[in-house]
Amino acid sequence: MRSLRVLGLAIGMIAATTFLPTQDAAAQNKTLAWIPKATNSTFWLAVKRGAEKAGEELGYDILYVGVQDQTNIAGQVNLVNDMVVRQVDGILIAATDAKALAPAVEQAIDRGVPVITLDSGVDSDAPYAYIATDNIGAAKLAAETLAKLIDGKGKVGDIGITAGSQTGREREEGFLEGMKAYPEIEVLPVQYSGCDPAKSLNVATDFYTANPDLVGFFGACDGGGTGSGQLVKQKGLEGKVHVVSFDTSPEELQLFKDGFIDALIVQDPFQMGYRGVYAMDKVLKGEKVEPRVVEIPAQVVTKDNFDDPKIQELLNQ
């Protein structure tokens, strides 16, 4: 009988060791979903790398799920709902549309799945944090940079993201605010491309066809820069039509290197993902996230500072 009791105790100890995970093991089993605006831009992969780096340090798996095109707002709403049904431990999201995504985000939080917005937020105070580029400040830098390139006068084509994007709204606001200092510059009404390079080329072509005296383009994202840079290349307009754009997709960066884009507004997407996971870790541990809004400065990249080690570090995330 004694031997049977000892055996039973031994089995119980083994079972406890096998099926009752330590705190570290439990953390390793947690999954955070990273939902970008779209999967057709390398920018979001840099955010993913930052999130994965923080996940490795803290013990989280990062699930990367997204719609192919950021105009697919309904698809992103469905993804948020799917992640709640899947019972992920937290959601990091760049909202395609600030208004349309707000109810889905609020519902996710109500159902026990915390949400933090990265790069582009929602029209709600429900998310635990918002981590993004200082879009207004960065767009003002873009305006100042383009104004200098065109000597403070002339017509400028404005290629935006989407009408409902918080990021797009902030960049549009910052760009127009920055251009107020240059009364001889006419910013043509914004046209949206959804950051799609092909659509942006069509928009840029329409701008130039209707305004052959146009001297510059502002791209609010990589697609806008790529499309307008392609137009400059196709029409042989380098040195005549200047382009300043956000982001650094491979195609956009090549157009910059070849002289068809004059300046890039470079963000730090790696830091967005990295800080986002650390903020989510605090939420899941019941700690307060401070500050709730984190604005990361952007850098203006030109041929003059392209070889700077700090710039190269940003470009090679």
Side-chain angles (χ1 to χ4, degrees):
M1 292 294 293
R2 182 177 181 276
S3 61
L4 288 174
R5 284 197 299 270
V6 171
L7 178 60
L9 286 170
I11 292 173
M13 291 175 65
I14 294 171
T17 303
T18 304
F19 298 112
L20 297 178
T22 63
Q23 184 175 356
D24 289 341
Q28 289 175 352
N29 289 331
K30 291 185 182 296
T31 298
L32 305 181
W34 158 226
I35 305 176
K37 280 188 174 183
T39 57
N40 62 357
S41 171
T42 56
F43 179 87
W44 308 115
L45 293 176
V47 179
K48 175 175 175 279
R49 287 191 287 274
E52 288 174 338
K53 175 63 175 175
E56 289 173 6
E57 295 172 0
L58 296 171
Y60 294 97
D61 293 326
I62 306 301
L63 176 62
Y64 182 67
V65 289
V67 294
Q68 185 174 358
D69 189 313
Q70 65 178 281
T71 59
N72 187 2
I73 298 168
Q76 195 183 47
V77 170
N78 290 336
L79 276 177
V80 173
N81 296 333
D82 289 345
M83 292 303 102
V84 173
V85 172
R86 182 168 174 163
Q87 295 183 324
V88 297
D89 295 282
I91 295 173
L92 307 170
I93 185 171
T96 54
D97 188 287
K99 184 176 182 179
L101 266 294
V105 165
E106 290 173 345
Q107 184 179 39
I109 293 170
D110 288 343
R111 294 178 63 179
V113 180
V115 178
I116 287 175
T117 53
L118 306 181
D119 180 77
S120 195
V122 294
D123 292 343
S124 171
D125 293 328
Y128 286 85
Y130 171 53
I131 301 170
T133 297
D134 176 5
N135 286 303
I136 293 176
K140 285 182 179 178
L141 282 176
E144 293 167 8
T145 302
L146 183 55
K148 290 177 182 178
L149 287 166
I150 61 177
D151 296 324
K153 57 182 181 293
K155 291 181 181 179
V156 170
D158 184 355
I159 304 180
I161 302 177
T162 60
S165 164
Q166 178 180 351
T167 298
R169 289 201 307 253
E170 291 174 351
R171 291 179 188 175
E172 182 71 10
E173 178 185 341
F175 184 71
L176 294 177
E177 184 67 29
M179 280 301 187
K180 287 181 180 179
Y182 306 95
E184 293 185 64
I185 294 177
E186 178 185 355
V187 180
L188 300 172
V190 61
Q191 299 296 314
Y192 299 107
S193 71
C195 290
D196 180 271
K199 291 179 183 177
S200 296
L201 175 57
N202 290 336
V203 169
T205 301
D206 290 344
F207 266 132
Y208 186 71
T209 300
N211 303 275
D213 55 344
L214 185 141
V215 294
F217 282 107
F218 166 62
C221 59
D222 56 346
T226 300
S228 51
Q230 286 174 336
L231 174 71
V232 171
K233 181 179 181 179
Q234 291 176 6
K235 300 288 187 182
L237 297 171
E238 54 268 35
K240 297 178 182 178
V241 174
H242 299 277
V243 178
V244 175
S245 177
F246 274 79
D247 301 328
T248 57
S249 68
E251 189 176 4
E252 184 185 30
L253 188 58
Q254 190 60 53
L255 287 164
F256 166 80
K257 290 178 179 178
D258 292 341
F260 303 112
I261 295 175
D262 298 85
L264 298 172
I265 307 301
V266 180
Q267 305 176 78
D268 196 340
F270 183 93
Q271 279 298 315
M272 288 185 201
Y274 188 84
R275 295 189 190 190
V277 171
Y278 265 85
M280 185 63 78
D281 183 59
K282 285 189 173 183
V283 173
L284 294 174
K285 290 177 177 176
E287 300 174 8
K288 190 174 183 180
V289 180
E290 288 290 350
R292 289 187 71 252
V293 177
V294 177
E295 292 185 323
I296 303 172
Q299 299 287 333
V300 179
V301 176
T302 65
K303 290 290 180 68
D304 292 336
N305 66 358
F306 180 76
D307 293 324
D308 185 293
K310 292 183 178 179
I311 295 298
Q312 284 299 309
E313 184 178 352
L314 277 176
L315 294 175
N316 293 297
Q317 291 185 355

